[in-house]
Amino acid sequence: MTPGLDPSAMLRVEDLRVSFSTPRGLVRAVRGVDLVLGRAQMHAVVGESGSGKSVSMRALVGLLPRGRTQVSGRALLEGVDLLSLDEDQKVGVRGRSVGMVFQDPLRAMNPTMRVGRQLVEAVSAHGQLGKEALRTRTRELLDMVQVPSSLRVMDMFPYELSGGLRQRVMIATAIAGGARLLIADEPTTALDVSIQAGILDLFKTLQQDTGTSVILITHNISLALDYAEAVSVMYAGKVVETGSRLDLVASVRMPYSRGLLDSVPRGSQARHSRLVTMEGYPPGPTERLEGCSFANRCPWAEDMCRRREPVLGGEGDSLHRWACWKPLADQEVPA
Amino acid sequence: MSGSLLEVRDLVQVHRLRGARGGSQTLRAVDGVSFEIGPGESVGLVGESGCGKSSLARALVQLPRPTEGEVRFRDQDLCRLRGGALLRARLGMQMVFQDPHSSVNPRMSVANIVAEPLRLRGGTGRRQVRARVRELLDMVRLPASRYEARRAGELSGGECQRVAVARALAGSPELLICDEAVSALDVSVQAQLLNLFEELRSELGLAYLFISHDLAVVRHMSDRVLFMYLGRICEEIDAGDLDRAPRHPYTAALMSLVPGTQRDRSVMALTGEPPSAASIPAGCRFHTRCWCARDQCATQEPALVATEQGGRVACLFPLAPQPEPVGDPLLSYRPPGP
């Protein structure tokens, strides 16, 4: 079976490209993203600022400024191409099929409206329910996100909730319309580590109990490897490596992914020891790129890398794929 | 101990909160903290938001002045110094903040930002200042010829943070207080900065107070780690014992959350979120969230006492040192480095 044709895939993104016209020129934020997301799977999209991870996932649900944005490619969600939908159809998709969770729930909520009313609004936007049924459904949603009824959050305003509770309410709103796919954009970046674990565990519970698939957008590769079944690493607008958690940890192929892993201090490492770092910075948004976008920072780069752009490929049927002319062998180190 | 560079004794910082209807409430952000930092030693400070770690850092540099207690730096109590004497003493203890772009003036040139503390101190000629600025930029690995004339607003986060470090180094400090100094940076840039801090440590013999919510980073950078909860230190521990022998349940719970550490998170789970520092629970202040609290914890407040490992712990029923945790075989995998 070819990996791209996995029939059980929930979402299949092919050659997604996004560019913005700006006064400084055309910004090609996403330059070809391919992604396969299984059912009830958590797939982490990892990258640094400006790598295109948020833009690509927002493009799927049409949450980018219209007019100046050009989007191309295909994104099949259970067989329906999200990118070919018109605006009205997209409104139907958002919430009903795809739910979004953002980094800052306070900005995503109405500050003057009690939490209960906002939740009810989200529920009734996806179907007519009687007053009693509405109340039961909202209560049920809060149970699903593990907010104890004793906290009486329904009567509170968003500012009265702690960051962790706000994020739970946000998730409740995202699943209110029965969405089977959640796109979570840095959902725990603003939270304490102690709260972060609770939120990520909640995603795992939803995954197991309701078969929800989750795309976790994060800059934190260790977090991704701890929670997600599959990981895609993005650099300069492209997916440069994708595979299971095990693929990435035990046989990472693309030097950039390896660089990200090395940048995080480990417990197994001697204290105060030097971290292996990548020199230089990612290319700017309007830079014309020739060859591999990582070549100028890559210790293994050769002539070929600077001339021709590598495409995502792998061995046999494996879902582990990478875009690199000089993939690392297991345990290879730079000279 | 006279051998220490910084000695903090019973430090208290009370903030006054103004209520909506004219009433006021007090909040003990730092509630009796004592610790020491030796020359060239690197001490981590960890805790959840609102635990008072930033208030503590600021109280050390007298911004604002702490309510009570002593901050002895090179055997001078900063709390009793004023005016010029305080400014001079404080040159030896500098801060680096989280957001580099908001801690430097974006319109100023890099050279001027770094030169400012030198000019404030006075007594240095223009040519000497220029030479020193070049030297400082060199220390933070920013080639002076390329960066001197640039404005801070044009720099990336990592470059800008290097400028902030150069400015902090201008007064030849012995102690650098890093308050979440790498938290706002991307991982690859963060690693570069951590390496820079380590280099400065060995080149200049700098001591650090390294504040971060990222335990993996703190574990890597510190010799000793202080855990703070609701204004107090609940454990002081050798960084080498962090994985193996945390004595306080709070330390153990936080350590279980470090990615790649496979402790049983469900056992050590922290229930709920920290109470507000304006209403600190009676007894042990941690008992409302503790995964192994007993009845006594609700009434009796534990003192911070020495442990056999040479740390300190504030717990009525400290954990026994545990066997080596089962590290995640996947995450501890690491190809031999260069």
Side-chain angles (χ1 to χ4, degrees), chain A residues 12 17 21 34 106 118-119 130 156 158 214-215 252 273 288 299:
Chain A
R12 230 169 64 215
R17 290 165 188 268
S21 352
D34 294 77
L106 203 52
Q118 301 196 41
L119 256 180
M156 286 153 89
V214 181
I215 294 180
V252 63
S273 61
R288 289 291 297 180

Side-chain angles (χ1 to χ4, degrees), chain B residues 47-117:
Chain B
E48 291 163 283
S49 7
C51 74
K53 49 189 197 300
S54 288
S55 292
L56 171 61
R58 279 153 197 262
L60 296 181
V61 291
Q62 313 289 308
L63 284 174
R65 276 189 189 275
T67 318
E68 281 169 42
E70 269 178 38
V71 178
R72 296 193 77 82
F73 181 67
R74 294 166 170 159
D75 285 324
Q76 273 187 303
D77 185 0
L78 297 189
C79 303
R80 286 160 190 259
L81 294 181
R82 315 194 156 270
L86 175 62
L87 282 179
R88 276 189 298 279
R90 206 160 44 187
L91 277 176
M93 181 158 83
Q94 290 291 311
M95 284 193 79
V96 180
F97 298 95
Q98 173 167 5
D99 181 1
H101 282 296
S102 63
S103 59
V104 300
N105 184 337
R107 305 254 177 107
M108 269 167 85
S109 73
V110 167
N112 274 328
I113 291 168
V114 180
E116 209 169 27

Side-chain angles (χ1 to χ4, degrees), chain A residues 190-262:
Chain A
L191 303 175
D192 265 314
V193 269
S194 52
I195 311 300
Q196 170 174 292
I199 298 291
L200 290 166
D201 287 340
L202 172 63
F203 282 125
K204 297 308 278 184
T205 313
L206 289 175
Q207 217 181 306
Q208 275 148 25
D209 294 357
T210 63
T212 310
S213 301
V214 181
I215 294 180
L216 177 72
I217 302 172
T218 177
H219 67 280
N220 187 337
I221 194 164
S222 17
L223 193 76
L225 292 174
D226 240 19
Y227 284 92
E229 283 83 30
V231 178
S232 289
V233 178
M234 283 191 73
Y235 185 78
K238 295 191 99 168
V239 170
V240 293
E241 183 158 7
T242 180
S244 71
R245 173 174 178 274
L246 187 89
D247 292 334
L248 264 289
V249 177
S251 46
V252 63
R253 294 283 183 246
M254 168 73 193
Y256 176 69
S257 332
R258 163 81 190 276
L260 276 186
L261 286 167
D262 282 342

Side-chain angles (χ1 to χ4, degrees), chain A:
Chain A
M1 183 175 61
T2 337
L5 299 175
D6 180 0
S8 70
M10 170 101 192
L11 174 73
R12 230 169 64 215
V13 180
E14 288 163 4
D15 199 32
L16 175 67
R17 290 165 188 268
V18 183
S19 47
F20 303 106
S21 352
T22 73
R24 285 186 175 188
L26 192 69
V27 170
R28 296 191 299 155
V30 180
R31 304 182 304 122
V33 160
D34 294 77
L35 193 110
V36 182
L37 174 72
R39 262 166 231 287
Q41 194 188 51
M42 184 185 275
H43 193 119
V45 179
V46 181
E48 298 183 272
S49 329
S51 61
K53 54 190 192 302
S54 291
V55 170
S56 52
M57 295 307 122
R58 281 177 192 216
L60 298 183
V61 276
L63 283 181
L64 293 174
R66 258 170 291 167
R68 296 178 165 227
T69 317
Q70 293 107 51
V71 181
S72 69
R74 290 212 304 167
L76 299 173
L77 177 71
E78 297 181 314
V80 180
D81 185 5
L82 294 177
L83 299 181
S84 66
L85 300 178
D86 63 32
E87 201 44 43
D88 286 346
Q89 290 168 311
K90 271 183 189 158
V91 171
V93 164
R94 289 195 286 259
R96 207 182 301 274
S97 316
V98 187
M100 290 283 305
V101 179
F102 299 99
Q103 176 172 346
D104 182 0
L106 203 52
R107 279 210 334 225
M109 291 163 106
N110 183 339
T112 64
M113 207 191 264
R114 286 180 205 278
V115 168
R117 245 187 83 199
Q118 301 196 41
L119 256 180
V120 165
E121 205 172 61
V123 173
S124 42
H126 302 291
Q128 295 297 316
L129 286 175
K131 214 173 172 188
E132 203 44 49
L134 259 180
R135 190 166 307 158
T136 329
R137 175 73 182 141
T138 16
R139 190 56 259 164
E140 196 180 284
L141 282 170
L142 285 177
D143 283 340
M144 281 169 81
V145 296
Q146 297 153 16
V147 173
S149 52
S150 58
L151 287 181
R152 312 195 55 79
V153 288
M154 303 264 263
D155 304 329
M156 286 153 89
F157 288 101
Y159 76 89
E160 295 178 280
L161 304 183
S162 67
L165 273 178
R166 257 181 231 146
Q167 201 55 290
R168 283 175 193 271
V169 172
M170 192 68 235
I171 297 169
T173 319
I175 57 176
R180 302 283 305 283
L181 169 63
L182 284 183
I183 299 179
D185 193 348
E186 303 273 8
T188 61
T189 308
L191 303 175
D192 265 314
V193 269
S194 52
I195 311 300
Q196 170 174 292
I199 298 291
L200 290 166
D201 287 340
L202 172 63
F203 282 125
K204 297 308 278 184
T205 313
L206 289 175
Q207 217 181 306
Q208 275 148 25
D209 294 357
T210 63
T212 310
S213 301
V214 181
I215 294 180
L216 177 72
I217 302 172
T218 177
H219 67 280
N220 187 337
I221 194 164
S222 17
L223 193 76
L225 292 174
D226 240 19
Y227 284 92
E229 283 83 30
V231 178
S232 289
V233 178
M234 283 191 73
Y235 185 78
K238 295 191 99 168
V239 170
V240 293
E241 183 158 7
T242 180
S244 71
R245 173 174 178 274
L246 187 89
D247 292 334
L248 264 289
V249 177
S251 46
V252 63
R253 294 283 183 246
M254 168 73 193
Y256 176 69
S257 332
R258 163 81 190 276
L260 276 186
L261 286 167
D262 282 342
S263 298
V264 185
R266 303 277 159 71
S268 53
Q269 210 171 343
R271 269 183 290 136
H272 303 304
S273 61
R274 231 189 131 66
L275 298 166
V276 182
T277 53
M278 294 175 272
E279 294 310 313
Y281 300 94
T286 50
E287 230 167 283
R288 289 291 297 180
L289 296 167
E290 224 174 304
C292 170
S293 51
F294 186 61
N296 59 343
R297 304 175 71 189
C298 179
W300 288 274
E302 289 181 354
D303 254 14
M304 164 78 141
C305 307
R306 294 185 194 93
R307 276 186 288 114
R308 280 183 53 201
E309 190 168 15
V311 288
L312 213 54
E315 284 157 9
D317 291 346
S318 167
L319 283 172
H320 185 197
R321 293 184 296 153
W322 52 88
C324 184
W325 294 121
K326 299 283 296 167
L328 306 173
D330 293 350
Q331 312 224 346
E332 193 183 333
V333 286

